[in-house]
Amino acid sequence: MVDVNRRRFLERTGVAATGLATLGIGTANAERYGIPIVSTRGHYNDDGSLAAGETQTSYDTTGDVPGVDTSCVNDLTVFIHGWHKKGDNPEQDAKDKFLDAKNTLANAGYGGTLVGYSWDNDAGSGDADYGWGTAQTVAQENGQKLAQFAVDFKYYCPNATLRFASHSLGAQVLLSSLRSLDVTSWWDNQGHQVYSTHILGGATDNEKPTQESSNTYYAIANETAATFNYHSHEDDVLQWIYNSYEFDQALGETGYESGNTPAPNYNEFDATSQVGHDHSGYLDHLGDEIVYHMNNVPSYD
């Protein structure tokens, strides 16, 4: 749950954005291609436990994130990267993904601002499962931190449109954040929502948006105007992860589980013909579809 005492402090004092560092928001050191970044990188130990000095809702920024650092923008999309399973520079790989997301959406006509959300996606890298289990734990825990950012952003920019987009294991961060927001009274009392969420190749169980997983079902229904899932039946990365480690199927491979009922504002796009086996290529292939959905949310809510 979002830190209620912190929220009450903000409401009582009307702290300026430049004062947020005193409340646990630090500055992330990251070369960023001009892309603002919200970061929790380094907040978790390699075993998935919270690092000393961090809290369940603390986060860092690059000092230029709209709302919490600088002036408000009309439309903000937070892009959440996925699992890091190869290479030796996960932070740089995350920044490359943010740049890809920014350029892809801009080229497809998105006129808003993109912010990257960088997290410890390489935790547990020495485990027998290549860190998959620990990375899931860290992803789930990051939901509270992303929810805190959403609360802070909407506190300062109540009229702005806020969106979330994720790739792969970032789906677990995104859905966890919606569950946190769904039990945050200030957020709901203000009538705030994440206007649209966009899940690309989601590495999360395929029953999550359905009544079988009731807390996620209601979080999607209550906290988003519309949620979009983009999946490929040929996504062999997701097939490998879920067959090997979860003994289940992923939302990004099959779409929601057959026979279950999804949230009423949950929408699916079968991207098999565009994406095929290319788990890393959802953004490259689907920019036009994502921006179309962003621009037409009322048709899908």
Side-chain angles (χ1 to χ4, degrees):
M1 184 180 296
V2 171
D3 188 333
V4 175
N5 290 329
R6 182 176 176 207
R7 176 77 278 125
R8 288 173 178 166
F9 178 83
L10 282 171
E11 291 174 340
R12 186 169 64 247
T13 62
V15 174
T18 54
L20 283 171
T22 65
L23 300 176
I25 301 177
T27 301
N29 293 318
E31 179 188 354
R32 55 189 183 278
Y33 307 109
I35 300 172
I37 295 174
V38 175
S39 177
T40 64
R41 197 165 290 277
H43 286 212
Y44 292 89
N45 300 312
D46 201 49
D47 63 358
S49 62
L50 196 64
E54 301 299 342
T55 71
Q56 290 180 319
T57 57
S58 61
Y59 61 86
D60 305 318
T61 77
T62 45
D64 54 358
V65 173
V68 301
D69 294 321
T70 63
S71 59
C72 295
V73 293
N74 291 329
D75 194 308
L76 184 79
T77 295
V78 181
F79 186 86
I80 312 151
H81 62 76
W83 185 35
H84 182 80
K85 64 184 185 298
K86 60 183 179 180
D88 58 3
N89 197 335
E91 184 174 9
Q92 184 63 50
D93 290 344
K95 290 183 286 183
D96 291 343
K97 198 72 175 181
F98 301 151
L99 180 62
D100 186 20
K102 176 184 177 181
N103 289 341
T104 296
L105 296 181
N107 289 339
Y110 176 60
T113 300
L114 185 130
V115 167
Y117 187 87
S118 183
W119 58 283
D120 288 314
N121 58 339
D122 57 330
S125 56
D127 297 344
D129 63 356
Y130 302 98
W132 170 249
T134 302
Q136 285 194 95
T137 298
V138 173
Q140 295 283 331
E141 293 295 320
N142 264 271
Q144 295 184 73
K145 292 174 179 282
L146 177 56
Q148 181 65 63
F149 169 74
V151 167
D152 292 338
F153 177 74
K154 291 295 277 187
Y155 178 79
Y156 289 111
C157 309
N159 298 318
T161 297
L162 176 63
R163 309 176 193 269
F164 291 162
S166 66
H167 176 247
S168 194
L169 188 54
Q172 295 198 28
V173 179
L174 187 156
L175 294 176
S176 177
S177 74
L178 297 182
R179 292 192 293 269
S180 291
L181 290 171
D182 204 31
V183 294
T184 303
S185 57
W186 178 87
W187 175 270
D188 288 333
N189 289 341
Q190 299 300 313
H192 292 317
Q193 282 187 316
V194 181
Y195 189 56
S196 65
T197 64
H198 306 265
I199 302 170
L200 307 171
T204 190
D205 290 348
N206 62 358
E207 67 267 19
K208 283 299 180 183
T210 74
Q211 290 179 339
E212 184 175 337
S213 182
S214 61
N215 57 349
T216 304
Y217 172 95
Y218 286 111
I220 291 171
N222 296 337
E223 304 306 334
T224 75
T227 287
F228 301 91
N229 177 53
Y230 309 83
H231 66 94
S232 172
H233 293 291
E234 297 176 358
D235 190 324
D236 48 10
V237 170
L238 293 177
Q239 291 169 2
W240 167 67
I241 291 171
Y242 269 74
N243 288 340
S244 300
Y245 299 144
E246 299 299 318
F247 303 100
D248 202 345
Q249 291 180 298
L251 185 64
E253 177 200 350
T254 67
Y256 75 87
E257 189 172 64
S258 177
N260 285 336
T261 301
N265 56 343
Y266 170 86
N267 305 274
E268 288 200 328
F269 185 84
D270 186 343
T272 305
S273 63
Q274 293 106 311
V275 175
H277 301 279
D278 187 9
H279 180 67
S280 297
Y282 282 85
L283 273 171
D284 296 335
H285 298 294
L286 297 176
D288 289 340
E289 287 79 5
I290 296 167
V291 173
Y292 177 84
H293 292 149
M294 286 178 162
N295 291 336
N296 292 279
V297 166
S299 299
Y300 296 92
D301 59 13

